[in-house]
Amino acid sequence: YVDSYNNLGVCFFELEDFLSAFSSFKKAYRLNKNHLYTLNNLGNSLSVINQNKLALFYYKRALEIRPNYAELLTNISISYMKMNDEKNANKFYIKSININPNDHELKYAYSVFQLSLGNFNLGWKYYDSRFYKRKNYNSIKNFDFVKDFLTDTKNINYNKKTLILREQGLGDEIVFSSLYPDIIKKFSNVVIESDERLVNIFKYSFNKNLFYPAGFFSLYKDELSNFDQVFYIGSIAKFFRKNED
C-alpha cells in the first residue's frame, strides 16, 4: 500500500532518521514509479543529506506529473541553492513564490542563499521569514508573545527607547553579539536582553550596563509597551552588515 510506505517515511523524516525514511520511500517507489508524492518524498530525503543531483532526478520526474505543484517548485529551488546554481535557483524561486507568496520556508532559504553569495541587500530583505519557518517558530524566544510589539525595521529610529531581544540558541546570540558595539554607538537609548549566562560577560566586554536576562522585559506586556521600538537582533543586522567587509 503506497500511502502507508509514504506516511511511514514521513514519520522517519520528521524524526530525522533519513536513511529509514529513504528506505520507506523506495518501497513505495517500487510499487508505483509515477506516484507524485513518492517522487517528491524521495527528493526530500536525498536533498536533506545533500545528494541534490539525485534529488533533482526525482523532483523533475514529479514535475512532469504536476508542473505547478508549489511545494515541489520550492524543493527544486532549494536543491539548486544547495548546489550554488544561482540561475536555476532564481528561476524556480520565482515560479514557486508566484504560486505561493507566503512560502516562508522558501523565502528564508533564499535569504540565506543570497547572503552566502554576498548579495546582502536581497538576503536581508527576506531574513525575517525565519520567524515563520516551522522549525524556528517555537525556538525563537517568546515570539508568539512578543510579535504584536515588534517594530517594522523600515521605520527604525536610533533616538527612540529601544528593546533588542536575543533569538534561538547561545551560539547564535554570541555570533550576533558582534553587532552590539555598533548598536551601542548608534542607539541613544537601548537595552538588550541576553541569555542569563552571558549578561555579565557582555556587561564586562562592552563596558555598558544595558544587558538584562532574557524575559526581563519581554515576558510582560506592560514592560513591552514602555518601549517605542522592539526588535529581534537578527532583524537589524541589515543596518550594520551591508557587505562582506
Side-chain angles (χ1 to χ4, degrees), residues 166 169-171 173-174 177 194-204 211:
R166 70 184 294 270
L170 200 69
E173 185 172 358
I174 291 168
S177 72
S194 303
D195 185 289
E196 63 181 358
R197 292 168 289 181
L198 295 173
V199 169
N200 288 332
I201 295 171
F202 285 159
K203 283 180 178 179
Y204 175 81
F211 296 93

Side-chain angles (χ1 to χ4, degrees), residues 75-123:
N75 293 338
I76 292 172
S77 179
I78 290 172
S79 280
Y80 278 123
M81 289 177 201
K82 290 179 178 180
M83 295 167 67
N84 288 320
D85 185 336
E86 187 174 6
K87 181 179 177 181
N88 280 309
N90 286 334
K91 173 184 171 182
F92 283 95
Y93 172 81
I94 291 166
K95 283 185 177 181
S96 182
I97 218 69
N98 282 339
I99 296 171
N100 182 8
N102 295 316
D103 187 337
H104 298 294
E105 301 284 335
L106 178 57
K107 283 184 177 180
Y108 179 70
Y110 192 66
S111 165
V112 173
F113 175 59
Q114 292 296 338
L115 289 171
S116 75
L117 294 176
N119 300 328
F120 282 70
N121 287 338
L122 194 54

Side-chain angles (χ1 to χ4, degrees), residues 17-114:
D17 184 351
F18 301 121
L19 290 177
S20 295
F22 182 75
S23 176
S24 293
F25 296 143
K26 282 294 284 186
K27 288 173 183 176
Y29 181 72
R30 291 188 191 105
L31 292 171
N32 184 348
K33 291 182 169 57
N34 295 305
H35 191 276
L36 176 68
Y37 300 117
T38 300
L39 294 166
N40 188 45
N41 287 334
L42 277 168
N44 289 343
S45 62
L46 289 162
S47 179
V48 79
I49 58 172
N50 284 318
Q51 296 295 318
N52 290 291
K53 285 187 178 180
L54 189 53
L56 285 167
F57 168 79
Y58 290 109
Y59 285 148
K60 288 182 177 180
R61 287 275 309 278
L63 200 62
E64 293 171 4
I65 299 168
R66 189 183 296 179
N68 290 319
Y69 183 22
E71 181 183 334
L72 182 60
L73 293 168
T74 290
N75 293 338
I76 292 172
S77 179
I78 290 172
S79 280
Y80 278 123
M81 289 177 201
K82 290 179 178 180
M83 295 167 67
N84 288 320
D85 185 336
E86 187 174 6
K87 181 179 177 181
N88 280 309
N90 286 334
K91 173 184 171 182
F92 283 95
Y93 172 81
I94 291 166
K95 283 185 177 181
S96 182
I97 218 69
N98 282 339
I99 296 171
N100 182 8
N102 295 316
D103 187 337
H104 298 294
E105 301 284 335
L106 178 57
K107 283 184 177 180
Y108 179 70
Y110 192 66
S111 165
V112 173
F113 175 59
Q114 292 296 338

